[in-house]
Amino acid sequence: MLNLQAITKNFFLFLSNNKTLDRLAKRYGSRFGVDKLVGGETFSQAVPVIKQLNDEGLVVTVDHLGEFVDSESEARERADEAVETIQTIADHNLRCEMSVKLTSLGLDINRDLVIENMERILEKALELGITLQLDMEDSSRCQDTIDIFKELKAKYPNVGLVIQSYLYRSDKDLDELDKYNPYLRLVKGAYKEPGVVAFQDKDMVDKNLKQLVKKHMLNGNYTALGSHDHEIIDFTKELAKEHGISKDRFEFQMLYGMRNKLQHDLAKEGYTVRVYMPYGMEWYGYYMRRLAERPANIAFAIKGIFSR
């Protein structure tokens, strides 16, 4: 029998794929504080928001919302938009990185297409000194994403990757990736995955995330912890102190609009805090998946929207 946590997760994942609610969300979302969760409908709208965060001592990574592109022309358009965004980041001297989803750049269409798009984006990013991170999507695309990361990392030092702790395979993936000295964002994971590939118990997901953080940091690789969880944040801070790992070797990442006080408190303590800021019209599915990750995120969302 499903417990309440599983029912809640399945409910929000179901909502994330509802096209009718997606259309309503685009139409009425601004009435419910979505502007506090998304940087803007366009990157130009997000620029002043990023500047304000930079002025407050926070750095940013931006993500143009949208995925699962099934048209070659649209995939190329998304690559064009990414190149333009990178140029805008440089033009405004923003302390900002970029995250991309490979399905938005043609992963489900043709491998050569996604490589071509990624190389074009990474060339511009390398030229301008900007880091790009490959978001991890569902488990069916995990191996392809890792393989493409390895291929790109051989040519572009400015590319990073996301690893999800709810997948059983992630510990082994860390071992295989270590020789690339990768910059990894370590997160719990936000997609609906079956028990044959992923932990279903929150405590196991949390435990595995701690193990991944410890392994990656002790391997000497730059580590980004993507979590709002006090316990895991405190674990990371204590781990760094215990092993003499300097604050410039890791960072904390949190979603834009959530846990704002915690973000600023950590920054005042001298830690790098990166705000993950989505922008674009396709915010609905992204947000529903975040609520589905853990029931506690529903409370985070409500507090995040109404607190500063």
Side-chain angles (χ1 to χ4, degrees), residues 27-47:
R27 185 173 180 181
Y28 298 111
S30 61
R31 300 184 184 181
F32 299 96
V34 172
D35 59 322
K36 297 180 181 178
L37 304 170
V38 176
E41 293 182 359
T42 65
F43 187 65
S44 61
Q45 292 176 353
V47 167

Side-chain angles (χ1 to χ4, degrees), residues 59-83:
V59 293
V60 176
T61 189
V62 292
D63 174 23
H64 186 194
L65 293 170
E67 54 201 291
F68 309 129
V69 167
D70 57 9
S71 158
E72 181 174 331
S73 61
E74 186 178 353
R76 294 187 188 280
E77 288 172 5
R78 294 301 295 262
D80 290 341
E81 197 277 342
V83 171

Side-chain angles (χ1 to χ4, degrees), residues 68-274:
F68 309 129
V69 167
D70 57 9
S71 158
E72 181 174 331
S73 61
E74 186 178 353
R76 294 187 188 280
E77 288 172 5
R78 294 301 295 262
D80 290 341
E81 197 277 342
V83 171
E84 292 172 8
T85 296
I86 289 167
Q87 185 65 59
T88 303
I89 290 171
D91 290 345
H92 288 84
N93 296 312
L94 302 176
R95 297 174 63 202
C96 183
E97 299 178 352
M98 173 182 279
S99 287
V100 296
K101 291 180 173 62
L102 292 184
T103 57
S104 74
L105 298 168
L107 180 64
D108 293 347
I109 302 170
N110 181 286
R111 193 178 193 277
D112 290 339
L113 174 63
V114 74
I115 292 292
E116 177 188 335
N117 284 334
M118 280 303 309
E119 288 188 336
R120 187 153 60 90
I121 296 167
L122 282 165
E123 286 286 355
K124 175 58 72 171
L126 186 61
E127 172 193 337
L128 297 175
I130 293 169
T131 299
L132 196 85
Q133 205 159 46
L134 307 185
D135 274 338
M136 187 60 72
E137 301 177 70
D138 60 59
S139 61
S140 68
R141 298 173 175 89
C142 183
Q143 189 61 55
D144 286 341
T145 301
I146 290 175
D147 290 343
I148 289 171
F149 167 77
K150 291 177 179 178
E151 181 175 339
L152 294 171
K153 189 69 164 66
K155 298 172 63 177
Y156 302 99
N158 58 323
V159 63
L161 181 68
V162 175
I163 294 293
Q164 302 161 320
S165 73
Y166 67 176
L167 296 180
Y168 302 142
R169 60 174 291 165
S170 292
D171 185 68
K172 182 180 178 183
D173 287 336
L174 241 62
D175 290 337
E176 293 183 359
L177 288 165
D178 183 50
K179 64 183 177 182
Y180 295 88
N181 302 120
Y183 163 27
L184 298 182
R185 180 198 306 151
L186 303 176
V187 302
K188 295 181 182 181
Y191 292 84
K192 181 175 174 60
E193 300 286 1
V196 294
V197 300
F199 296 109
Q200 305 296 302
D201 180 73
K202 176 188 181 301
D203 290 341
M204 291 302 298
V205 175
D206 291 354
K207 179 180 178 182
N208 199 39
L209 181 55
K210 290 179 181 178
Q211 291 174 342
L212 296 177
V213 167
K214 182 175 183 178
K215 173 175 284 191
H216 198 56
M217 289 180 69
L218 294 185
N219 282 344
N221 299 311
Y222 192 85
T223 304
L225 170 64
S227 177
H228 303 104
D229 191 320
H230 274 289
E231 182 182 353
I232 297 174
I233 290 169
D234 289 343
F235 167 85
T236 303
K237 291 164 69 174
E238 290 303 315
L239 178 70
K241 290 177 184 177
E242 179 182 352
H243 294 276
I245 300 171
S246 63
K247 291 179 180 178
D248 63 358
R249 297 300 303 155
F250 65 99
E251 66 183 49
F252 298 108
Q253 296 191 2
M254 299 183 198
L255 300 177
Y256 173 65
M258 296 190 185
R259 307 309 300 268
N260 297 325
K261 184 178 185 302
L262 178 58
Q263 292 174 16
H264 287 87
D265 287 347
L266 288 168
K268 288 175 183 176
E269 293 175 27
Y271 295 101
T272 298
V273 179
R274 188 172 302 279

Side-chain angles (χ1 to χ4, degrees), residues 283-299:
W283 62 267
Y284 172 76
Y286 152 85
Y287 188 54
M288 288 298 105
R289 285 199 301 274
R290 288 317 185 270
L291 295 184
E293 279 183 82
R294 296 288 173 264
N297 281 357
I298 301 169

